[in-house]
Amino acid sequence: MTKIRFQNTRTRRKDAFSPIDPSDVRMYVCGPTVYDRAHLGNARPVVVFDVLFRLLRHVYGADHVTYVRNFTDVDDKINTRAAETGRPIRDITDETIQWYLDDMGALGALTPTHMPRATEYIPQMIAMIETLIERGHAYEAEGHVLFDVTSDGNYGSLARRSLDDMKAGARVEVAPYKRDPMDFVLWKPSTGDQPGWDSPWGHGRPGWHIECSAMAFDLLGESFDIHGGGNDLTFPHHENECAQSRCAHPEGGFANVWLHNEMLQVEGRKMSKSLGNFFTVRDLLDQGIPGEVIRFVFLGTHYSKPMDWTARKAVDAEATLRKWRKMTDGVAAGNVAPAVLDALGDDLNTPGAMAELHRLAAGGNAADLKASAGLLGILDETLGEWAAAPDAGDAVAARIEELLAARTQARSDRDFARADALRDGFAAAGVVVKDTPEGPVWDLGPKFDLSKLEGL
């Protein structure tokens, strides 16, 4: 059996993976808050933990892995979106969940075993909160229920932070009803225009953290194997999950292994609306970038490292995938290469696995290339329709070179209006052009849009 080792956030070391029950390997991954389209950064944990899901299914058997990824469909951001649009909350969350499933499906993500919605687990959340109160770990104050962090001697152990350090670094307004500045909300009151449910503490709604603990307990039990998510969730979300879960169910260990993926950058910079480099998965798909290409780019960086999305990487990924698809067309899948399994077993080393795919392709081993790529979720026949179209990379390059030649001619003819129009057109289309002594050179920027070149 393939040996698997993970860099465990909980232990801060690379541990050998030994599931609690090899006949039911259990994994929980924090899913999206559903009020808008998923941006590119939201897609990274989906691809990371989809590869892990595939690896576990390959090693332990498809029927012996349970994967839970939730939807947060009760949240103040959703309430705000409903107020802004005048639409019912359920309409917004239903629509956004379907968008998410469509977009992640386009990236080749398998459907998790369970995809619970927070609003379907309110009774379980209330029951867990009642248990925490009974055991002295939570208290009611002014219609709120709060977790008492001082009641948990291990609070801060996941993030490696002490309570004193957390209080010193806190930049939040402390509500007067809190016993300790770090106490967090388990339940809060709802006004008439906010979603709410009846509870022993009045009409209200759950805090953010309690939902994952309640759903994980209901679907996976008091102890399970792996908990995943972005590293921005380590504190406070995952820390608070750990605290309330171990205090409500001290007989269990909650999650044995914690895996956190790093964040995404665009062209070397943090993705931000203020920088103009923020885009959704749907934006890229609508620009004609296939989901398989997006996935390929993601796999080239280890999940624990910041991933830099660039248009050049996407062009190169498309070219490689076209060659591999042509090579494996009509070929029956062979065996997954041992080196691919070894790489994935070594803390999900997707760059190492991808390097092995390149070696298989260079050696002409089409059958094993197809099987090995399939374990990574690429070269799947359900994702290959895009490859039947003409090579967009060649077409883009030809069009840009044609327009650059036209700009050079316009300058030669002293038709500066035409030259300036082409310059502005390149900028609008996201094509970065630099004039050098040897002639113009170009690259594709993060918001390249082929359609904006058509009218030039």
Side-chain angles (χ1 to χ4, degrees):
M1 180 176 288
T2 301
K3 294 180 180 179
I4 300 176
R5 301 170 71 213
F6 294 123
Q7 184 65 37
N8 189 349
T9 304
R10 184 174 64 84
T11 63
R12 295 298 196 277
R13 63 174 182 259
K14 190 180 285 189
D15 296 328
F17 178 63
S18 179
I20 298 167
D21 178 3
S23 69
D24 185 16
V25 183
R26 286 161 286 166
M27 175 171 69
Y28 187 98
V29 174
C30 290
T33 300
V34 286
Y35 66 98
D36 206 347
R37 288 277 189 186
H39 60 69
L40 195 60
N42 299 142
R44 192 179 190 197
V46 173
V47 172
V48 166
F49 293 106
D50 180 69
V51 173
L52 177 53
F53 186 34
R54 290 169 182 270
L55 174 65
L56 295 174
R57 284 162 55 97
H58 181 84
V59 173
Y60 294 98
D63 296 331
H64 301 297
V65 182
T66 302
Y67 174 20
V68 178
R69 187 183 67 215
N70 72 296
F71 288 113
T72 297
D73 62 343
V74 52
D75 184 88
D76 288 346
K77 291 179 181 178
I78 302 172
N79 300 341
T80 300
R81 183 57 52 90
E84 291 172 347
T85 62
R87 298 180 63 197
I89 286 174
R90 183 74 185 199
D91 286 358
I92 292 172
T93 57
D94 283 352
E95 178 182 62
T96 308
I97 285 172
Q98 193 57 56
W99 284 347
Y100 184 85
L101 294 175
D102 290 345
D103 292 348
M104 299 309 111
L107 303 185
L110 299 175
T111 302
T113 316
H114 303 287
M115 295 187 291
R117 297 172 65 134
T119 53
E120 297 169 347
Y121 285 77
I122 300 297
Q124 290 89 334
M125 296 180 211
I126 291 174
M128 183 173 280
I129 294 170
E130 288 179 314
T131 298
L132 289 168
I133 292 175
E134 290 168 3
R135 295 186 172 178
H137 296 292
Y139 59 93
E140 182 182 2
E142 298 183 22
H144 296 73
V145 180
L146 297 111
F147 183 87
D148 179 2
V149 296
T150 63
S151 73
D152 175 22
N154 290 315
Y155 190 76
S157 58
L158 181 68
R160 295 291 201 276
R161 302 185 187 186
S162 71
L163 264 178
D164 289 341
D165 288 342
M166 286 186 269
K167 291 174 187 177
R171 296 183 179 180
V172 294
E173 183 178 350
V174 180
Y177 49 78
K178 283 188 175 186
R179 295 178 184 173
D180 187 280
M182 298 309 298
D183 290 351
F184 57 89
V185 173
L186 300 172
W187 190 265
K188 54 189 173 183
S190 293
T191 60
D193 61 343
Q194 295 172 323
W197 293 262
D198 292 333
S199 79
W201 320 287
H203 191 68
R205 61 197 191 279
W208 175 30
H209 314 298
I210 193 67
E211 66 175 82
C212 289
S213 288
M215 289 187 283
F217 176 71
D218 190 79
L219 293 168
L220 301 176
E222 70 276 1
S223 299
F224 57 95
D225 298 298
I226 300 169
H227 195 310
N231 67 354
D232 57 323
L233 299 179
T234 307
F235 185 86
H237 184 50
H238 289 164
E239 189 69 61
N240 292 349
E241 276 188 70
C242 285
Q244 63 202 9
S245 293
R246 64 174 161 249
C247 289
H249 302 286
E251 71 281 4
F254 196 45
N256 286 347
V257 177
W258 286 84
L259 299 177
H260 290 96
N261 65 274
E262 255 286 2
M263 297 295 99
L264 177 138
Q265 300 174 335
V266 176
E267 305 286 347
R269 306 174 76 185
K270 181 180 178 181
M271 189 167 69
S272 167
K273 289 181 179 179
S274 64
L275 294 176
N277 65 350
F278 179 95
F279 44 84
T280 67
V281 174
R282 179 52 50 182
D283 289 336
L284 292 183
L285 295 172
D286 288 347
Q287 289 174 23
I289 299 176
E292 187 178 25
V293 169
I294 298 171
R295 185 183 185 96
F296 189 102
V297 173
F298 279 6
L299 295 175
T301 303
H302 192 269
Y303 77 87
S304 66
K305 306 295 183 184
M307 201 221 83
D308 190 20
W309 171 271
T310 70
R312 173 55 60 187
K313 286 181 181 178
V315 170
D316 293 343
E318 179 176 335
T320 298
L321 281 168
R322 283 184 179 277
K323 286 188 286 188
W324 289 1
R325 282 196 165 276
K326 184 176 181 180
M327 178 180 176
T328 58
D329 185 32
V331 175
N335 299 311
V336 175
V340 170
L341 281 173
D342 289 345
L344 295 181
D346 183 16
D347 196 28
L348 214 63
N349 181 5
T350 56
M354 294 291 282
E356 182 59 25
L357 296 189
H358 282 283
R359 283 191 286 271
L360 290 170
N365 191 340
D368 288 359
L369 171 63
K370 190 169 189 176
S372 301
L375 185 59
L376 288 160
I378 56 178
L379 299 191
D380 188 288
E381 292 184 5
T382 62
L383 295 178
E385 185 176 343
W386 67 270
D391 188 335
D394 289 348
V396 166
R399 179 60 177 156
I400 291 172
E401 294 292 347
E402 177 186 1
L403 291 171
L404 284 173
R407 189 192 64 155
T408 299
Q409 186 61 48
R411 286 176 169 177
S412 176
D413 294 341
R414 304 185 65 77
D415 185 353
F416 298 117
R418 172 62 174 158
D420 290 347
L422 288 168
R423 178 200 61 201
D424 295 343
F426 282 130
V431 180
V432 179
V433 178
K434 295 181 180 179
D435 289 306
T436 73
E438 292 75 30
V441 295
W442 60 272
D443 204 347
L444 301 180
K447 285 204 167 185
F448 172 67
D449 187 344
L450 176 61
S451 65
K452 292 182 179 179
L453 291 179
E454 299 303 325
L456 294 178

